[in-house]
Amino acid sequence: MQDVSRLAAWLAGTDIGLLELRTPEGTLRLARQGDEIVELPQDEEEIEPVPIKAPSLGVFLHGHPLATAPLARTGARVEAGQALGLLKIGPLLLPVTAPQAGVVDGIHVADGVAVGYGTPLLDLHPR
C-alpha cells in the first residue's frame, strides 16, 4: 500500500494520465481524475476462445462410428490432448485433440460434414 501511495505521489508530479503496471501478482492501474490520482478497478479480461481447426481435409465426426456418444459436447471440460472429434480420411480416423485444457464453447461443424484444411471445427475456452 505504501508503494502505491509513493507511485501516486510521483504520478501527480508528471503529466502522465494513466500508469499501468503488470506483475505476476496482478495489474495496478493509476489514473488522473481532475487533480487527484486514483486507483482504477481491475478489468475482467475477456479470454478469447481458441479455435480448433481441421488438421487436414476429411469428414468430421463427433464420435467414433462404433460408439453412440460424441467425444465432446458444448460445455464439457476437457484436458490437453483429449480427443474432441475425429477426422475421417478414407479408412483412417485421425483424432482432433485439444491443444490445452479448457471448456468446449461451441461446435461449428455438424457430424459427417466434409471439411477442408484449417476449417474451424470447435471453440475451446482455456481454463
Side-chain angles (χ1 to χ4, degrees):
M1 184 66 176
Q2 181 184 12
D3 290 334
V4 174
S5 299
R6 288 176 40 196
L7 280 172
W10 171 81
L11 189 60
T14 70
D15 61 350
I16 298 172
L18 173 68
L19 174 69
E20 181 173 288
L21 296 173
R22 294 183 184 187
T23 68
E25 291 80 34
T27 302
L28 171 67
R29 298 176 70 213
L30 299 174
R32 184 178 305 279
Q33 288 184 347
D35 293 334
E36 293 185 37
I37 302 296
V38 297
E39 185 174 349
L40 298 177
Q42 294 272 343
D43 287 340
E44 289 294 321
E45 290 185 28
E46 179 64 30
I47 299 175
E48 293 293 320
V50 175
I52 309 299
K53 298 179 180 180
S56 177
L57 58 88
V59 176
F60 183 63
L61 302 175
H62 290 199
H64 193 278
L66 301 178
T68 57
L71 292 169
R73 290 190 165 109
T74 301
R77 290 188 174 277
V78 296
E79 298 299 323
Q82 181 175 335
L84 303 174
L86 298 168
L87 200 57
K88 183 177 180 187
I89 307 165
L92 177 68
L93 293 176
L94 179 69
V96 176
T97 59
Q100 62 193 54
V103 175
V104 177
D105 187 42
I107 301 173
H108 301 295
V109 178
D111 188 50
V113 172
V115 297
Y117 172 80
T119 301
L121 303 173
L122 305 108
D123 282 336
L124 184 69
H125 265 288
R127 59 175 164 135

